[in-house]
Amino acid sequence: MVTRPLLNRRLDGLGNSIFGVMSARAVATNSVNLGQGFPDVDGPPAIARAAADAVMAGKGNQYPPATGIPELRNAVARHQQRFYGLRYDPDTEVLITAGATEAIAAALLALVEPGDEVIAFEPYYDSYVANIAMAGGTRVPLTLKAPDFRPDLAKLESLITSKTRLLMLNSPHNPTGMVLTREESEAIARIAISRDILVITDEAYEHLTFDTEHVPLATIDGMRGRVVSIGSAGKTFSFTGWKVGWATATPDLISAVRTTKQFLTFVSSGPFQYAVAEALDLPGSYYTEMAADLKAKRDLMAAGLAEIGFAVYEPDGTYFITTDISPLGERDAMEFCRGLPDRAGVVAIPSAVFYDDHPEEGRTLVRFAFCKRPEVLKEALSRLSVLAR
Ligand SMILES: Cc1ncc(COP(=O)(O)O)c(C=O)c1O
């Protein structure tokens, strides 16, 4: 019999994903699941067809190249140039990964040494906490607070110590929907340059913004050499199950990230890489219509939730809307979300789970995913109306 604890101590307390628990509750109670962020309509049929064709044509069915197929690396480089004017060499500055998730893990494991400090926005996308722990790093929260969730940049500067290795940034930000402004990005760049720190930018929701400009940090003067930018085909093209993502950075940074990626998945998603290469070249209308469609869903949810009595913090991007349940007479989002499937037949996520260091900031905050068909959102709102006072 094994007598020692089995889980690596660095991961202690990280084992119970709220998403799995809540999704199981959704099924058991026949609830509308607005917990996990995935669309309930697949991406463009022509792109799905391209994936099927690749499988049947024997493209990508065997291990693809370690850095990703050249067609996709070229398409990512074209995308960075087309949308942001950023030039990356597809052979040395682009790495294809198993979703943004692997790019984040590989980058943190590659760049963070035990004892290093990593500053990240809290509430955190959950994998940052785990990956920083796996690397033996220490997370340092820059806490985003309701109602606007804007980062306090003077505070950011004050958090930097001799141990600070990097900033792990996320904009558009999950779960709050905050999108950094150009001024904020410039201020962050000034700090990163003057204190000589690296930045990883998780831009999984780069195209999912609502009348708000997404400014990649790598576009700010002096930043191209110190930023690892991360993208997600799952989010951009509504194929979250395909797990295709990428990182773009200088050859040195990409080579470091590739070294860890090699021992995580080595390679993945062969045939899907061909399909995503096509998707990235879709006309501008695809990108604008996808964002407009999502914006209409945000508006529907924001108005509906406000009418029921939630305080609504309208997001500028992502799949998610954050609400405060205090006006409904509720005091504890965790308890509220646990009871919601039985009370209203809806699943939502208590934002406290994303505030690992300051759970009190999320105590009355609840996150709803709105990347669902309008009829599903309307059904959820109609069910939630039992909460109206
Ligand atoms: C902020 C953020 N980063 C990364 C990911 C993961 O992206 P992928 O599915 O491409 O691994 C998600 C998915 O929810 C996310 O919200």
Side-chain angles (χ1 to χ4, degrees), residues 12-13 94 106 139 178 186 206 353 358:
D12 210 14
V94 178
R139 65 172 188 269
M178 181 277 297
E186 285 171 353
E206 63 191 310
V353 300
H358 299 96

Side-chain angles (χ1 to χ4, degrees), residues 18-42:
I18 183 91
F19 303 105
V21 174
M22 295 311 273
S23 289
R25 290 280 293 138
V27 173
T29 56
N30 205 13
S31 290
V32 179
N33 188 356
L34 303 184
Q36 212 172 1
F38 59 87
D40 60 357
V41 177
D42 287 348

Side-chain angles (χ1 to χ4, degrees), residues 7 23 28 82 150 216 226 239 280 320 359:
L7 184 68
S23 289
R82 168 182 170 197
R150 305 238 63 93
R226 61 175 71 243
F239 287 114
L280 283 163
F320 307 107

Side-chain angles (χ1 to χ4, degrees), residues 312-341:
V312 172
Y313 304 124
E314 223 173 71
D316 287 325
T318 76
Y319 286 159
F320 307 107
I321 192 160
T322 298
T323 60
D324 194 315
I325 54 174
S326 312
L328 294 168
E330 301 285 342
R331 292 279 153 263
D332 186 308
M334 202 71 96
E335 205 178 289
F336 175 83
C337 288
R338 272 201 206 104
L340 201 57

Side-chain angles (χ1 to χ4, degrees), residues 187-265:
I188 292 170
R190 274 196 297 278
I191 296 170
I193 293 167
S194 71
R195 307 299 289 267
D196 191 23
I197 39 190
L198 295 167
V199 187
I200 301 174
T201 55
D202 176 354
E203 302 174 38
Y205 298 97
E206 63 191 310
H207 291 290
L208 281 54
T209 59
F210 317 128
D211 304 325
T212 303
E213 181 191 23
H214 167 64
V215 182
L217 212 60
T219 62
I220 309 286
D221 271 358
M223 290 303 283
R224 167 73 167 73
R226 61 175 71 243
V227 177
V228 179
S229 310
I230 292 173
S232 165
K235 305 292 185 202
T236 297
F237 301 111
S238 298
F239 287 114
T240 58
W242 290 7
K243 295 302 283 188
V244 178
W246 51 85
T248 52
T250 58
D252 284 354
L253 284 167
I254 285 297
S255 158
V257 179
R258 194 196 59 233
T259 303
T260 46
K261 184 232 162 12
Q262 188 177 335
F263 301 109
L264 292 172
T265 60

Side-chain angles (χ1 to χ4, degrees), residues 38-360:
F38 59 87
D40 60 357
V41 177
D42 287 348
I47 301 305
R49 168 58 54 200
D53 288 349
V55 171
M56 294 316 292
K59 290 160 74 177
N61 291 334
Q62 307 304 330
Y63 296 134
T67 53
I69 61 166
E71 289 87 338
L72 181 51
R73 282 187 277 110
N74 279 302
V76 168
R78 280 197 299 279
H79 168 275
Q80 299 301 79
Q81 165 83 45
R82 168 182 170 197
F83 287 99
Y84 310 124
L86 284 166
R87 281 181 182 280
Y88 287 100
D89 179 337
D91 292 331
T92 57
E93 298 189 308
V94 178
L95 178 68
I96 306 306
T97 55
T101 306
E102 189 194 32
I104 296 161
L108 285 167
L109 290 169
L111 302 174
V112 176
E113 300 273 2
D116 283 350
E117 293 178 357
V118 178
I119 300 175
F121 294 147
E122 179 193 31
Y124 309 100
Y125 175 61
D126 56 356
S127 78
Y128 308 160
V129 172
N131 293 155
I132 294 167
M134 286 177 195
T138 304
R139 65 172 188 269
V140 177
L142 180 63
T143 307
L144 307 179
K145 298 179 186 179
D148 60 6
F149 301 107
R150 305 238 63 93
D152 175 344
L153 298 176
K155 171 87 180 169
L156 170 63
E157 183 135 39
S158 77
L159 293 175
I160 294 174
T161 72
S162 57
K163 291 189 181 157
T164 306
R165 172 65 163 160
L166 57 82
L167 306 180
M168 174 69 242
L169 298 186
N170 172 216
S171 175
H173 180 255
N174 174 12
T176 67
M178 181 277 297
V179 180
L180 289 173
T181 63
R182 180 170 290 281
E183 293 67 36
E184 286 166 340
S185 299
E186 285 171 353
I188 292 170
R190 274 196 297 278
I191 296 170
I193 293 167
S194 71
R195 307 299 289 267
D196 191 23
I197 39 190
L198 295 167
V199 187
I200 301 174
T201 55
D202 176 354
E203 302 174 38
Y205 298 97
E206 63 191 310
H207 291 290
L208 281 54
T209 59
F210 317 128
D211 304 325
T212 303
E213 181 191 23
H214 167 64
V215 182
L217 212 60
T219 62
I220 309 286
D221 271 358
M223 290 303 283
R224 167 73 167 73
R226 61 175 71 243
V227 177
V228 179
S229 310
I230 292 173
S232 165
K235 305 292 185 202
T236 297
F237 301 111
S238 298
F239 287 114
T240 58
W242 290 7
K243 295 302 283 188
V244 178
W246 51 85
T248 52
T250 58
D252 284 354
L253 284 167
I254 285 297
S255 158
V257 179
R258 194 196 59 233
T259 303
T260 46
K261 184 232 162 12
Q262 188 177 335
F263 301 109
L264 292 172
T265 60
F266 175 45
V267 294
S268 59
S269 310
F272 296 127
Q273 292 193 25
Y274 288 91
V276 172
E278 279 190 32
L280 283 163
D281 285 336
L282 283 169
S285 55
Y286 166 75
Y287 292 89
T288 49
E289 281 163 22
M290 190 252 313
D293 176 67
L294 204 55
K295 178 177 177 233
K297 292 170 175 171
R298 176 205 64 179
D299 292 345
L300 172 67
M301 259 329 250
L305 290 167
E307 202 178 311
I308 292 164
F310 290 86
V312 172
Y313 304 124
E314 223 173 71
D316 287 325
T318 76
Y319 286 159
F320 307 107
I321 192 160
T322 298
T323 60
D324 194 315
I325 54 174
S326 312
L328 294 168
E330 301 285 342
R331 292 279 153 263
D332 186 308
M334 202 71 96
E335 205 178 289
F336 175 83
C337 288
R338 272 201 206 104
L340 201 57
D342 290 321
R343 266 174 92 188
V346 173
V347 160
I349 299 291
S351 300
V353 300
F354 305 109
Y355 283 92
D356 294 62
D357 293 293
H358 299 96
E360 69 283 0

